[in-house]
């Protein structure tokens, strides 16, 4: 899967401008998109981006996670506010750098150890990306970067120590490929 992902990223980064036909100047102020790569880890993510100035946009991501690690199951919501800085002053279309925050709240359970609880995670990071908006408004957004998070779990039943939460702690990569429409 890693080879396929790297190949997809390489193709998208090297795609000729004639195939993508991005607009010279974006007149759309809003973009609604879905992160297709998050589906591979059991997460549905939708993003709304709004151009605020010529070189800055704000984005809000909302996701739902249904994931398991070892014997531990997670389900819940993810909220990701982000500020995107477009150096070429064409907000929503082009290369960007984006600092972001992320808050996650999940129900956690381990049926084998009879443990249940809730997980709260807070973190943030920085991503680099490229967004293309075609003449028809079709949008592609490719991004990668890093994320650092801190988590705590509270058991409502059983021992919280058996709930495997290492996936939500420390430094992790963040990558995505979102598709959507600008309007």
């Amino acid at each position: 899967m890693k080879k396929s992902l790297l190949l997809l990223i390489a193709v998208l980064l090297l795609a000729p401008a004639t195939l993508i036909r991005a607009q010279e100047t974006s007149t759309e102020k809003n973009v609604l998109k879905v992160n297709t790569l998050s589906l591979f880890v059991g997460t549905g993510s939708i993003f709304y981006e709004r151009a605020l100035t010529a070189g800055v946009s704000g984005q809000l991501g909302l996701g739902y996670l249904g994931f398991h690690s070892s014997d531990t199951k997670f389900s819940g919501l993810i909220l990701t506010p982000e500020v995107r800085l477009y150096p070429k002053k064409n907000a929503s279309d082009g290369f960007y750098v984006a600092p972001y925050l992320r808050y996650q709240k999940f129900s956690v359970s381990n049926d084998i150890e009879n443990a249940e609880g809730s997980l709260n995670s807070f973190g943030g990071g920085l991503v680099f990306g490229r967004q293309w908006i075609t003449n028809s408004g079709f949008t592609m957004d490719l991004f990668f970067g890093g994320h650092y998070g801190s988590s705590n779990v509270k058991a409502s039943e059983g021992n919280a120590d058996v709930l495997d939460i290492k996936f939500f702690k420390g430094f992790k990569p963040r990558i995505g490929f979102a598709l959507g429409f600008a309007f």
Side-chain angles (χ1 to χ4, degrees):
M1 184 169 112
K2 287 183 181 180
K3 288 182 182 180
S4 299
L5 181 60
L6 290 174
L7 180 61
L8 173 65
I9 291 170
V11 167
L12 290 171
L13 288 176
L14 300 174
T18 56
L19 292 177
I20 296 172
R21 292 186 1 222
Q23 297 176 352
E24 289 298 317
T25 57
S26 177
T27 57
E28 291 83 1
K29 291 192 178 266
N30 304 290
V31 180
L32 191 60
K33 52 200 165 186
V34 174
N35 185 358
T36 60
L37 292 183
S38 68
L39 297 172
F40 290 111
V41 291
T43 304
S45 298
I46 188 165
F47 300 106
Y48 171 70
E49 182 178 357
R50 170 101 176 142
L52 303 173
T53 68
V56 178
S57 72
Q59 178 171 283
L60 183 62
L62 181 63
Y64 177 81
L65 175 97
F67 174 78
H68 69 275
S69 171
S70 301
D71 296 325
T72 305
K73 296 177 186 172
F74 303 89
S75 62
L77 295 177
I78 304 165
L79 186 63
T80 310
E82 185 173 308
V83 175
R84 291 183 165 199
L85 309 170
Y86 290 84
K88 291 197 175 185
K89 305 293 183 206
N90 192 16
S92 300
D93 192 1
F95 171 78
Y96 62 86
V97 176
Y100 69 92
L101 297 174
R102 176 174 288 162
Y103 175 73
Q104 302 173 101
K105 182 166 180 69
F106 303 123
S107 296
V108 186
S109 66
N110 184 317
D111 293 337
I112 293 172
E113 299 288 338
N114 293 323
E116 290 184 11
S118 62
L119 172 107
N120 286 303
S121 177
F122 186 76
L126 184 70
V127 294
F128 300 91
R130 173 68 165 95
Q131 183 161 270
W132 296 271
I133 300 176
T134 65
N135 290 332
S136 65
F138 178 71
T139 304
M140 294 180 291
D141 182 6
L142 178 65
F143 58 88
F144 65 95
H147 174 82
Y148 183 82
S150 176
S151 301
N152 67 335
V153 65
K154 292 182 183 174
S156 59
E157 183 178 316
N159 184 357
D161 293 337
V162 301
L163 300 172
D164 181 16
I165 64 167
K166 66 179 176 267
F167 185 76
F168 300 97
K169 289 185 173 185
F171 182 80
K172 306 286 183 212
R174 180 181 177 208
I175 59 171
F177 179 62
L179 298 174
F181 287 94
F183 55 96

